Amino acid sequence: MMIRVADEHDFPGFLSLASEVEHWFGPMVAEPGFHDAVRKNLRRSTALVAVSSGPGLLGGLLFGTSHAPTYHVRWLVVSEQARGQGVGRALMADAMRRYVRGPGSVEVVTFGADHPGASASGARAFYERLGFTPAEATDPGPEGGSRQVYRLAIPLKPFE
């Protein structure tokens, strides 16, 4: 597996990943707003993909850097066949190396505890394993399900 900055050729792969999780997140594949968000991240080089020698993307991540020192994981999806193999962790580690400078924080909005996808997707447990802590509730998702902010404090990085 390799993590790299995504380019325009990866756009169909992002749509394919989105199609696998619409039952949790609501419509994306046919939504112009989602297309715009992916293309914006592609232009800004803040979209990452996990690839292998096989077809399709193993995972994709859209990262927000415009509000530093608070950074945002805008979207992170791992393909169904690659879940549980470290793809999400690798995408996050690469994003942290590329984009994050401390002190600050990284935030992600994920499912609320009562959302049907909270357990099934493994998202909350995934972020907790990375050191994120549950924070305040936020607006429901487009499908109407509850959402919660998860936050990771980033200390000042020592000289490398």
Side-chain angles (χ1 to χ4, degrees):
M1 170 183 55
M2 181 181 81
I3 307 297
R4 64 171 172 77
V5 174
D7 62 34
E8 190 62 38
H9 295 96
D10 295 310
F11 183 77
F14 276 95
L15 295 182
S16 179
L17 289 169
S19 73
E20 293 186 27
V21 295
E22 285 186 317
H23 60 286
W24 289 323
F25 292 106
M28 289 179 278
V29 174
E31 293 297 315
F34 179 71
H35 291 218
D36 292 345
V38 172
R39 288 199 164 102
K40 178 174 138 182
N41 280 267
L42 292 172
R43 282 191 308 275
R44 291 182 175 179
S45 297
T46 54
L48 300 176
V49 291
V51 297
S52 69
S53 57
L57 299 178
L58 299 176
L61 180 145
L62 304 177
F63 202 80
T65 61
S66 59
H67 299 287
T70 302
Y71 303 90
H72 298 272
V73 178
R74 300 288 184 201
W75 191 81
L76 171 60
V77 172
V78 174
S79 68
E80 188 173 339
Q81 80 270 9
R83 291 184 191 142
Q85 299 176 24
V87 174
R89 182 177 288 276
L91 283 163
M92 283 297 299
D94 196 273
M96 298 294 283
R97 278 192 299 276
R98 285 179 193 272
Y99 308 121
V100 177
R101 301 291 173 261
S105 64
V106 179
E107 295 181 352
V108 62
V109 174
T110 192
F111 302 117
D114 63 340
H115 191 286
S119 295
S121 73
R124 291 171 63 92
F126 169 76
Y127 289 113
E128 288 171 8
R129 282 192 305 272
L130 293 179
F132 284 76
T133 56
E136 66 274 7
T138 191
D139 296 335
E143 84 301 345
S146 66
R147 295 292 191 268
Q148 184 172 8
V149 174
Y150 268 55
R151 191 170 289 121
L152 176 67
I154 305 297
L156 180 64
K157 290 186 179 179
F159 292 104
E160 297 177 353

PDB file of all heavy atoms in Angstrom, residues 102-118:
ATOM      1  N   GLY A 102       1.930  21.975  15.197  1.00  0.00           N
ATOM      2  CA  GLY A 102       1.435  22.300  16.530  1.00  0.00           C
ATOM      3  C   GLY A 102       1.984  23.618  17.009  1.00  0.00           C
ATOM      4  O   GLY A 102       2.876  24.179  16.385  1.00  0.00           O
ATOM      5  N   PRO A 103       1.448  24.129  18.067  1.00  0.00           N
ATOM      6  CA  PRO A 103       0.317  23.575  18.799  1.00  0.00           C
ATOM      7  C   PRO A 103      -0.993  23.858  18.071  1.00  0.00           C
ATOM      8  O   PRO A 103      -1.094  24.792  17.292  1.00  0.00           O
ATOM      9  CB  PRO A 103       0.384  24.303  20.137  1.00  0.00           C
ATOM     10  CG  PRO A 103       1.008  25.624  19.812  1.00  0.00           C
ATOM     11  CD  PRO A 103       1.970  25.350  18.682  1.00  0.00           C
ATOM     12  N   GLY A 104      -1.962  23.025  18.354  1.00  0.00           N
ATOM     13  CA  GLY A 104      -3.268  23.178  17.732  1.00  0.00           C
ATOM     14  C   GLY A 104      -4.126  21.970  18.014  1.00  0.00           C
ATOM     15  O   GLY A 104      -3.920  21.270  19.006  1.00  0.00           O
ATOM     16  N   SER A 105      -5.069  21.722  17.125  1.00  0.00           N
ATOM     17  CA  SER A 105      -5.926  20.554  17.280  1.00  0.00           C
ATOM     18  C   SER A 105      -6.413  20.094  15.912  1.00  0.00           C
ATOM     19  O   SER A 105      -6.428  20.858  14.944  1.00  0.00           O
ATOM     20  CB  SER A 105      -7.121  20.860  18.192  1.00  0.00           C
ATOM     21  OG  SER A 105      -7.944  21.842  17.606  1.00  0.00           O
ATOM     22  N   VAL A 106      -6.778  18.831  15.871  1.00  0.00           N
ATOM     23  CA  VAL A 106      -7.395  18.243  14.685  1.00  0.00           C
ATOM     24  C   VAL A 106      -8.793  17.811  15.099  1.00  0.00           C
ATOM     25  O   VAL A 106      -8.966  17.165  16.135  1.00  0.00           O
ATOM     26  CB  VAL A 106      -6.594  17.036  14.155  1.00  0.00           C
ATOM     27  CG1 VAL A 106      -7.278  16.421  12.941  1.00  0.00           C
ATOM     28  CG2 VAL A 106      -5.162  17.444  13.821  1.00  0.00           C
ATOM     29  N   GLU A 107      -9.778  18.188  14.296  1.00  0.00           N
ATOM     30  CA  GLU A 107     -11.168  17.838  14.586  1.00  0.00           C
ATOM     31  C   GLU A 107     -11.753  17.021  13.450  1.00  0.00           C
ATOM     32  O   GLU A 107     -11.393  17.208  12.289  1.00  0.00           O
ATOM     33  CB  GLU A 107     -12.017  19.099  14.766  1.00  0.00           C
ATOM     34  CG  GLU A 107     -11.625  19.929  15.952  1.00  0.00           C
ATOM     35  CD  GLU A 107     -12.490  21.158  16.144  1.00  0.00           C
ATOM     36  OE1 GLU A 107     -13.330  21.459  15.256  1.00  0.00           O
ATOM     37  OE2 GLU A 107     -12.319  21.815  17.175  1.00  0.00           O
ATOM     38  N   VAL A 108     -12.648  16.141  13.824  1.00  0.00           N
ATOM     39  CA  VAL A 108     -13.409  15.373  12.851  1.00  0.00           C
ATOM     40  C   VAL A 108     -14.828  15.263  13.384  1.00  0.00           C
ATOM     41  O   VAL A 108     -15.037  15.157  14.595  1.00  0.00           O
ATOM     42  CB  VAL A 108     -12.786  13.977  12.593  1.00  0.00           C
ATOM     43  CG1 VAL A 108     -12.757  13.132  13.849  1.00  0.00           C
ATOM     44  CG2 VAL A 108     -13.503  13.256  11.462  1.00  0.00           C
ATOM     45  N   VAL A 109     -15.790  15.331  12.491  1.00  0.00           N
ATOM     46  CA  VAL A 109     -17.184  15.107  12.868  1.00  0.00           C
ATOM     47  C   VAL A 109     -17.518  13.683  12.445  1.00  0.00           C
ATOM     48  O   VAL A 109     -17.340  13.311  11.283  1.00  0.00           O
ATOM     49  CB  VAL A 109     -18.128  16.120  12.185  1.00  0.00           C
ATOM     50  CG1 VAL A 109     -19.583  15.765  12.472  1.00  0.00           C
ATOM     51  CG2 VAL A 109     -17.808  17.533  12.645  1.00  0.00           C
ATOM     52  N   THR A 110     -17.953  12.897  13.411  1.00  0.00           N
ATOM     53  CA  THR A 110     -18.334  11.517  13.119  1.00  0.00           C
ATOM     54  C   THR A 110     -19.706  11.234  13.717  1.00  0.00           C
ATOM     55  O   THR A 110     -20.375  12.146  14.210  1.00  0.00           O
ATOM     56  CB  THR A 110     -17.252  10.529  13.595  1.00  0.00           C
ATOM     57  OG1 THR A 110     -17.525   9.239  13.036  1.00  0.00           O
ATOM     58  CG2 THR A 110     -17.158  10.465  15.104  1.00  0.00           C
ATOM     59  N   PHE A 111     -20.111  10.001  13.665  1.00  0.00           N
ATOM     60  CA  PHE A 111     -21.436   9.625  14.135  1.00  0.00           C
ATOM     61  C   PHE A 111     -21.599   9.885  15.622  1.00  0.00           C
ATOM     62  O   PHE A 111     -20.667   9.675  16.400  1.00  0.00           O
ATOM     63  CB  PHE A 111     -21.682   8.137  13.889  1.00  0.00           C
ATOM     64  CG  PHE A 111     -21.567   7.735  12.453  1.00  0.00           C
ATOM     65  CD1 PHE A 111     -20.588   6.846  12.053  1.00  0.00           C
ATOM     66  CD2 PHE A 111     -22.427   8.245  11.505  1.00  0.00           C
ATOM     67  CE1 PHE A 111     -20.484   6.462  10.722  1.00  0.00           C
ATOM     68  CE2 PHE A 111     -22.325   7.874  10.173  1.00  0.00           C
ATOM     69  CZ  PHE A 111     -21.350   6.978   9.780  1.00  0.00           C
ATOM     70  N   GLY A 112     -22.804  10.299  16.012  1.00  0.00           N
ATOM     71  CA  GLY A 112     -23.143  10.354  17.422  1.00  0.00           C
ATOM     72  C   GLY A 112     -23.279   8.936  17.960  1.00  0.00           C
ATOM     73  O   GLY A 112     -23.449   7.977  17.194  1.00  0.00           O
ATOM     74  N   ALA A 113     -23.191   8.802  19.265  1.00  0.00           N
ATOM     75  CA  ALA A 113     -23.226   7.477  19.893  1.00  0.00           C
ATOM     76  C   ALA A 113     -24.495   6.695  19.548  1.00  0.00           C
ATOM     77  O   ALA A 113     -24.474   5.459  19.484  1.00  0.00           O
ATOM     78  CB  ALA A 113     -23.080   7.612  21.399  1.00  0.00           C
ATOM     79  N   ASP A 114     -25.619   7.390  19.295  1.00  0.00           N
ATOM     80  CA  ASP A 114     -26.884   6.703  19.023  1.00  0.00           C
ATOM     81  C   ASP A 114     -27.117   6.426  17.538  1.00  0.00           C
ATOM     82  O   ASP A 114     -28.122   5.837  17.169  1.00  0.00           O
ATOM     83  CB  ASP A 114     -28.049   7.515  19.582  1.00  0.00           C
ATOM     84  CG  ASP A 114     -28.190   8.877  18.909  1.00  0.00           C
ATOM     85  OD1 ASP A 114     -27.204   9.369  18.303  1.00  0.00           O
ATOM     86  OD2 ASP A 114     -29.282   9.465  18.997  1.00  0.00           O
ATOM     87  N   HIS A 115     -26.198   6.824  16.673  1.00  0.00           N
ATOM     88  CA  HIS A 115     -26.350   6.621  15.226  1.00  0.00           C
ATOM     89  C   HIS A 115     -26.134   5.145  14.894  1.00  0.00           C
ATOM     90  O   HIS A 115     -25.226   4.518  15.433  1.00  0.00           O
ATOM     91  CB  HIS A 115     -25.339   7.489  14.475  1.00  0.00           C
ATOM     92  CG  HIS A 115     -25.580   7.551  13.011  1.00  0.00           C
ATOM     93  ND1 HIS A 115     -25.305   6.496  12.162  1.00  0.00           N
ATOM     94  CD2 HIS A 115     -26.056   8.536  12.234  1.00  0.00           C
ATOM     95  CE1 HIS A 115     -25.589   6.834  10.925  1.00  0.00           C
ATOM     96  NE2 HIS A 115     -26.063   8.082  10.940  1.00  0.00           N
ATOM     97  N   PRO A 116     -26.952   4.574  14.007  1.00  0.00           N
ATOM     98  CA  PRO A 116     -26.772   3.166  13.632  1.00  0.00           C
ATOM     99  C   PRO A 116     -25.374   2.860  13.070  1.00  0.00           C
ATOM    100  O   PRO A 116     -24.872   1.757  13.233  1.00  0.00           O
ATOM    101  CB  PRO A 116     -27.845   2.927  12.566  1.00  0.00           C
ATOM    102  CG  PRO A 116     -28.841   4.009  12.763  1.00  0.00           C
ATOM    103  CD  PRO A 116     -28.108   5.181  13.359  1.00  0.00           C
ATOM    104  N   GLY A 117     -24.737   3.836  12.436  1.00  0.00           N
ATOM    105  CA  GLY A 117     -23.404   3.614  11.878  1.00  0.00           C
ATOM    106  C   GLY A 117     -22.284   3.742  12.892  1.00  0.00           C
ATOM    107  O   GLY A 117     -21.138   3.429  12.590  1.00  0.00           O
ATOM    108  N   ALA A 118     -22.590   4.190  14.109  1.00  0.00           N
ATOM    109  CA  ALA A 118     -21.552   4.422  15.120  1.00  0.00           C
ATOM    110  C   ALA A 118     -20.762   3.154  15.407  1.00  0.00           C
ATOM    111  O   ALA A 118     -19.533   3.177  15.458  1.00  0.00           O
ATOM    112  CB  ALA A 118     -22.160   4.980  16.401  1.00  0.00           C
TER     113      ALA A 118
END
